[in-house]
Amino acid sequence: MIDLTTLTIAEASAKLATKEYSAVGLARAYKDAINDKNAELNVYLEVFDDIEEQALAADARRAQDEKDGKTSHPLLGIPLAIKDNILIEGRRASAASKMLENYTAAYDATAIRKLKEAGVVFLGRTNMDEFAMGGSTENSAFGPTKNPHDTSRVAGGSSGGSAAAVAANLALASLGSDTGGSIREPASFCGMVGLKPTYGAVSRSGLMAMGSSLDQIGPFAKNVTDAQMLFDAIAGLDPLDSTSVDLATYTTQPQNKTIGVPRDLLKEGVDSDVLAQFEQSLDALRAQGYKVVDVSIPSASLALAVYYVIMPAEVSSNLARFDGVRYGLSVKGENLIDDYATTREIGFGPEVRRRIMLGTYVLSSGYYDAYYGKATIARTQLAREVAAALDGIDVIATPTAPCPATRLGEKSDPLAMYLLDIFTVTANLTGNPAISIPMGTVDRDGNQLPVGLQLTAAHGAEATLFEVAKAFEQ
Amino acid sequence: MISLQDILALAGLARVKITKAEAVGLQNDFSTILDYVGQVNAVSSTVEASVPEHHNVMREDVPYAERDIVAMVGRRDVLVQAFPEEKDGFNVVRKIIQKDE
């Protein structure tokens, strides 16, 4: 019997190499765990029916590698869960929307192709907010994902299924996507490590576009080493994504064991026990030899407003493709325009329609300058301030979210839900890499709920993030 | 506060159908959200609006197969299969040309 609760990729990889585990044995252990708990948590929208075949192929490949005297890839046979907006050829990919409920992916996302080359085992596709719009997975057309730490609470979102899958030991690690915090916030709520890489570090080919100047694919894992292994496997320049960059493009400054804290941002709106955990985390980093200094990012207080202009603007453009003409749901109306509108009425949920309309508004003639125009200026200003704040320090630290996981249905007002993204949107607007790592728990109604520490580094400085995060883990 | 008429016009522009009840809900949501994001109206800065730091990545105008991008080769059939309505390998769409009456 394999104990999944403490198992890491690094450990599983070592045990697969020494034949203590087989990929098939590992896959079966996860299948059993999924059969046990998925109905309650609603983590997977689909559990693949060929998990054992994939695992058999991984074991066969390991035997062949051995025969050829080759070292197997460290991810060979590792069981992963994949967010439902990342394409795996021949499998359904619905983005948790009625619009794509029966859509079959026509090709592999680049991140998936790389994982296939490494020989991972795909367990299934995970639940999410529809088209990645939301912070709780409650916007899924197929019901919310429950938080494994307290099933009356949300798992976070939009990659809530991917976070909960790892937290509930229904996958060893997983992939999500992050447009405004959609990896880091559920990682915080579920007590996992979640990384939003530098904009362009991971190819978005095969990721369903939401906000194209913001989106990134990234890993969820139980510890920093595992997240790093997964990131290393999926990162890299890709001719199919013209925004992808080689991280060597960036010159990184030498580390000097200094952490910056934007104190102005923490004055209000953050739960006091979350702040207390944050201060303890800073103490823990001091104990590891880090110096903690104050930094100032004056425009950061505007970041959320800027984000909720730019993101819906991009959403309204990106989701124009779902019109029932080429693929996905297609519902006939009275005429062509009515075909589009009816398809989109039935296919999209309320939050998706709200954001499309909001984006249409801020881009419309007469409002463009006041909203989108101003937001892009503020965004540039913010990027400069973050770059200046990072000059001479390793990372900026904040809590990942102002509170622990909320109750299902608690944030019914859209703006209240948006405010959960207050600390995470900045890294998407500026393109910086950011990681959420567990920083302890806070008590809510007698339940210990995890909260996360967010670290942000300079462009291309994922290595710095991993190093500080590992020091913190100790 | 944004008017109900504006909400309905926006829905038309965005090509989504909404019910009257939904429009009223959206009128409230929009007012709260626009009040909040309206903070950006006050931004005054000397910086230019965002200019991408990286050069646009141009690609050679040759088939994927010749560029060794196997992920995209031979996809025609699967794309055709995804059509809502297919005939002889073509996507059936609504006829939009009409005779003047």
Side-chain angles (χ1 to χ4, degrees), chain A residues 189 262-276 278 301 304 398-404 406 410-411 415-424 444 451, chain B residues 36:
Chain A
F189 284 8
R263 293 274 171 201
D264 293 348
L265 290 180
L266 306 175
K267 281 184 186 145
E268 54 186 323
V270 187
D271 289 0
S272 60
D273 48 1
V274 173
L275 265 188
F278 177 67
S301 56
L304 196 69
T398 64
T400 305
C403 58
T406 52
E410 182 182 329
K411 302 274 179 190
L415 185 62
M417 181 69 85
Y418 298 171
L419 290 169
L420 293 178
D421 303 338
I422 191 100
F423 295 122
T424 49
R444 290 290 179 281
V451 284
Chain B
Y36 183 80

Side-chain angles (χ1 to χ4, degrees), chain B residues 46-88:
Chain B
T46 50
V47 302
E48 301 276 314
S50 168
V51 179
E53 276 175 54
H54 302 286
H55 292 288
N56 196 12
V57 184
M58 306 298 281
R59 62 171 176 80
E60 290 173 72
D61 192 16
V62 293
Y64 284 124
E66 289 173 30
R67 293 163 61 211
D68 211 22
I69 300 176
V70 287
M72 293 294 165
V73 176
R75 298 291 114 149
R76 189 179 191 285
D77 287 350
V78 276
L79 295 178
V80 169
Q81 277 165 25
F83 292 158
E85 194 183 343
E86 176 258 327
K87 197 179 172 214
D88 305 329

Side-chain angles (χ1 to χ4, degrees), chain A residues 21-44:
Chain A
Y21 292 169
S22 69
V24 170
L26 194 56
R28 281 186 187 147
Y30 278 102
K31 263 177 77 169
D32 289 346
I34 292 167
N35 285 337
D36 228 26
K37 284 197 268 184
N38 191 51
E40 185 192 5
L41 297 173
N42 200 23
V43 160
Y44 285 98

